[in-house]
Amino acid sequence: MNAQRTQAYGRVMHTLDELGPSKLQNDEQERIRQDADTLIFSTELSADPEAQAALHDIFHLCRDLVASGRWEEETARRLATDLRDCGPEADGVSRQAA
């Protein structure tokens, strides 16, 4: 875990505090919390099927929120990026290079 991951986790929790009660159902909020927790504690994405499943879940949830008209694409993209950034770098690829 590093400062960037911790900051991303903080942004996810802030999004839940700000938008969660009005824009997300309780089960969606819980999914996001669980996915963020799974990712923040992961040490190696390629060897962690639970972290991979968390990423898969959040991208599907964000896609569904946009498709339903409940969220704007930019808001969903920001949440998905912040959640991805909670996890370890994939296969040693730096996020700054991406």
Side-chain angles (χ1 to χ4, degrees):
M1 194 176 326
N2 60 33
Q4 290 88 0
R5 290 175 69 185
T6 303
Q7 290 169 357
Y9 186 87
R11 290 190 303 271
V12 170
M13 294 303 121
H14 178 76
T15 298
L16 285 173
D17 289 342
E18 292 294 312
L19 298 177
S22 63
K23 298 281 186 173
L24 293 166
Q25 298 172 4
N26 288 336
D27 65 318
E28 293 166 337
Q29 292 178 60
E30 186 58 31
R31 281 171 64 188
I32 293 168
R33 280 188 190 90
Q34 288 177 351
D35 289 344
D37 288 349
T38 298
L39 289 163
I40 196 76
F41 291 113
S42 178
T43 58
E44 186 178 344
L45 189 59
S46 63
D48 189 342
E50 289 181 6
Q52 293 171 21
L55 283 175
H56 184 76
D57 180 56
I58 199 58
F59 288 122
H60 281 281
L61 176 60
C62 287
R63 183 196 64 209
D64 292 346
L65 288 169
V66 171
S68 71
R70 292 172 47 209
W71 275 39
E72 296 293 323
E73 187 172 331
E74 181 57 35
T75 305
R77 183 179 301 123
R78 190 174 338 115
L79 176 64
T81 298
D82 287 341
L83 274 155
R84 182 196 65 216
D85 289 349
C86 287
E89 294 174 354
D91 299 324
V93 175
S94 173
R95 288 190 176 94
Q96 285 118 6

